[in-house]
Structure formats: C-alpha cells, structure tokens
C-alpha cells in the first residue's frame, strides 16, 4: 500500500509538472508572437519611409544622403529577417503550421533568391555562381518555406566569409528527388560544431567572435522545414576552407 501510494504521488507530481511546463511553453510562444508582431509595424514603416526617401530628388542628388538611406534600408531588412526567423520558429514550435504544397520550379526559385544577394556579394568583390544541372527540377513543396530555406543558406554563406565570398549553388537529380547544394569559401566549421549546427539557438564559437551576430535560428529552421517536407539536409565543412549544405527535395508529395 505504501509503495502504491508513493507511485501515485510520483505520477501525480509528474503530471502536474508537465502541465506547468506546457503552460509556460504556451506563455513563451504567445509572448514571442505578440512581441514580434509588435515589431512588424515599425519595421514596415521604416521600410516604407526609406523607400520613399530613395526616390526623392533631394536624396538622389546627394551621395551622402543616398548612403544613409541605403544603410537605413539594409538595417531595416536585416531586422525584418531576424523577426521573421523568430516568428517562423515560434509557429513551428506551436505545431499550428501546415505546408501549402504545390508543384514549384526549384530553378526559378533559386534564381529569384540569388538575385537578391547579387548586389551585396558584388560589393564585396565576390561571385555567386549557379550550376543548375537537374533535368527534373519541379518538386512538390511549400514555395514560401523553400524560399526561406534558400535565403537562410545564402545569407549564412555570404556573412560567414572573411574575404571575397565565392558561392556556388548546384542542382542535380538524385534518386527520386532533386539535390540542391550551397557551397561557400567561408570560415567553415569543425566537427564538434557540425554535430550541433542544426540545434535551435546553437551558436558556434566562430559565430560569436565573428563580426556577425544572430539568434542561431536559421539552420534550425532549415532542418525543421526539410523534415516537414520529408527531405534531407546535411553539412560538409572544414575550418578555414568553407562549408557545403546539401538538401534533397523529393519529387512526390507523398514521399
């Protein structure tokens, strides 16, 4: 009887603790959602104002003002990107997201995202190459999330490079899917960092001492989304040489 009483008490305590943890997790997600949504309005206002400033004749005729408006615009976009990452992870953690899959042309999406990075990479004297060799590049996927996946990988590739960024995006057909690779000549990672690089909030030591800061959410998001798409993701990296991220998207929605 005493043993049974102890087991019942232990079970009750465990259930109560789990319920508290669940409530705390819900409160955390609600707080993150409310906080990030509150940031959305001022970020949109900053973006709108900087866009109007860039088009004005006063700014166009003043080189210094042009640089200032470009700085405001770029920092606004960076802030929006960070807020979007937090929102994306909060949505995934809540379990309230659903993939809107349809047939998309992976090559067209890659070209679209790559164009948004051409300016910043060219300004640093680097180069972005596309080697899109897959014959069957149409996959069943959520276009918004695949767009974010490619954006996150390209963003990391150009940020974590100390010198002129040389980035190569390749595609090939592999089995019953398309393999997409993003290769860079950046600072790279050691084996220890590669073990945890897809964990949420993980920041490699090189990431903390590098002049680029972040939340450690980008690659976690990539991993979670590839799993949701029933795809695969792996990393190959070497310190001081660079990194390659390989994604495999299945053609069939049910695979």
């Amino acid at each position: 009887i005493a043993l049974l009483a102890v087991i019942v008490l232990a079970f009750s305590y465990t259930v109560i603790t789990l319920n508290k943890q669940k409530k705390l997790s819900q409160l955390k997600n609600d707080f993150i959602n409310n906080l990030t949504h509150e940031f959305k309005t001022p970020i949109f206002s900053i973006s709108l104002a900087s866009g109007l400033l860039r088009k004005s004749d006063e700014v166009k005729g003043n080189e210094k003002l042009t640089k200032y408006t470009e700085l405001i615009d770029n920092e606004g976009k960076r802030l929006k990107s960070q807020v979007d990452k937090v929102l994306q992870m909060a949505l995934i953690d809540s379990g309230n997201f659903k993939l809107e899959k349809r047939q998309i042309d992976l090559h067209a999406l890659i070209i679209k995202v790559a164009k948004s990075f051409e300016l910043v990479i060219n300004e640093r004297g680097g180069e972005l190459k596309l080697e899109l060799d897959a014959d069957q590049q149409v996959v069943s996927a959520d276009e918004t999330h695949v767009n974010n996946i490619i954006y996150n990988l390209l963003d990391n590739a150009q940020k974590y490079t100390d010198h002129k960024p040389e980035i190569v995006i390749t595609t090939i057909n592999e089995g019953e899917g398309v393999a997409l690779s993003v290769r860079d000549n950046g600072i790279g990672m050691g084996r220890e960092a590669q073990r945890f690089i897809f964990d949420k909030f993980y920041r490699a030591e090189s990431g903390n001492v590098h002049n680029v800061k972040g939340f450690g959410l980008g690659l976690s998001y990539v991993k979670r989304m590839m799993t949701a798409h029933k795809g695969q993701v792996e990393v190959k990296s070497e310190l001081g040489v660079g990194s390659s991220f390989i994604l495999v998207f299945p053609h069939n929605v049910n695979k």
Side-chain angles (χ1 to χ4, degrees):
I1 293 173
L3 180 60
L4 183 61
V6 170
I7 293 173
V8 170
L9 288 172
F11 180 76
S12 300
Y13 177 76
T14 302
V15 171
I16 292 171
T17 303
L18 287 174
N19 284 332
K20 286 182 178 179
Q21 293 280 357
K22 186 177 180 180
K23 288 180 180 178
L24 287 173
S25 179
Q26 185 62 44
L27 285 172
K28 179 204 72 175
N29 288 334
D30 289 343
F31 173 76
I32 290 174
N33 282 327
N34 291 333
L35 185 66
T36 48
H37 278 299
E38 286 297 321
F39 279 131
K40 284 283 187 176
T41 301
I43 290 173
F44 175 77
S45 299
I46 292 170
S47 176
L48 180 62
S50 63
L52 292 173
L53 282 172
R54 283 202 317 273
K55 295 177 182 178
S56 67
D57 294 333
E58 292 84 353
V59 172
K60 287 181 179 179
N62 190 312
E63 185 178 349
K64 185 177 290 186
L65 288 177
T66 300
K67 289 182 179 179
Y68 289 158
T69 52
E70 286 178 353
L71 177 62
I72 293 170
D73 190 51
N74 290 335
E75 290 302 300
K77 288 178 180 177
R78 189 161 70 93
L79 183 58
K80 181 181 181 298
S81 174
Q82 298 292 3
V83 171
D84 284 342
K85 286 178 184 178
V86 175
L87 274 175
Q88 290 159 4
M89 292 307 299
L91 185 63
I92 293 171
D93 289 340
S94 69
N96 293 325
F97 82 100
K98 183 180 179 181
L99 296 178
E100 300 293 336
K101 288 186 176 181
R102 64 181 185 86
Q103 298 296 304
I104 63 172
D105 187 327
L106 194 58
H107 287 177
L109 195 58
I110 292 170
I111 293 170
K112 175 185 172 183
V113 178
K115 283 184 178 178
S116 65
F117 283 91
E118 283 182 352
L119 180 61
V120 65
I121 292 174
N122 290 338
E123 284 181 348
R124 296 180 59 188
E127 186 178 7
L128 175 58
K129 295 180 181 178
L130 301 182
E131 299 177 359
L132 310 180
D133 298 325
D135 295 326
Q136 301 176 5
Q137 73 271 21
V138 176
V139 297
S140 178
D142 187 308
E143 184 173 355
T144 299
H145 289 297
V146 175
N147 182 90
N148 292 338
I149 288 170
I150 299 170
Y151 183 93
N152 283 337
L153 293 179
L154 281 177
D155 193 37
N156 282 346
Q158 65 90 15
K159 285 195 302 187
Y160 294 103
T161 304
D162 290 331
H163 38 277
K164 296 179 181 179
E166 299 291 338
I167 303 170
V168 182
I169 304 177
T170 63
T171 63
I172 59 169
N173 288 117
E174 183 174 294
E176 298 183 359
V178 181
L180 185 159
S181 170
V182 178
R183 186 175 75 249
D184 63 61
N185 62 335
I187 59 178
M189 296 174 283
R191 289 188 178 181
E192 185 68 18
Q194 292 176 49
R195 290 175 54 199
F196 305 103
I197 197 64
F198 295 111
D199 291 351
K200 187 163 64 171
F201 303 125
Y202 177 77
R203 296 284 294 165
E205 289 184 6
S206 58
N208 288 329
V209 299
H210 198 261
N211 61 358
V212 177
K213 299 296 180 182
F215 298 129
L217 292 175
L219 291 178
S220 175
Y221 171 81
V222 170
K223 175 68 174 179
R224 300 276 296 265
M225 281 298 101
M226 289 304 297
T227 300
H229 280 86
K230 295 181 172 56
Q232 302 171 15
V233 56
E234 65 172 313
V235 59
K236 297 179 181 178
S237 186
E238 186 178 345
L239 280 172
V241 177
S243 303
S244 293
F245 287 87
I246 302 97
L247 316 174
V248 180
F249 293 91
H251 285 303
N252 196 315
V253 67
N254 296 317
K255 289 189 179 294

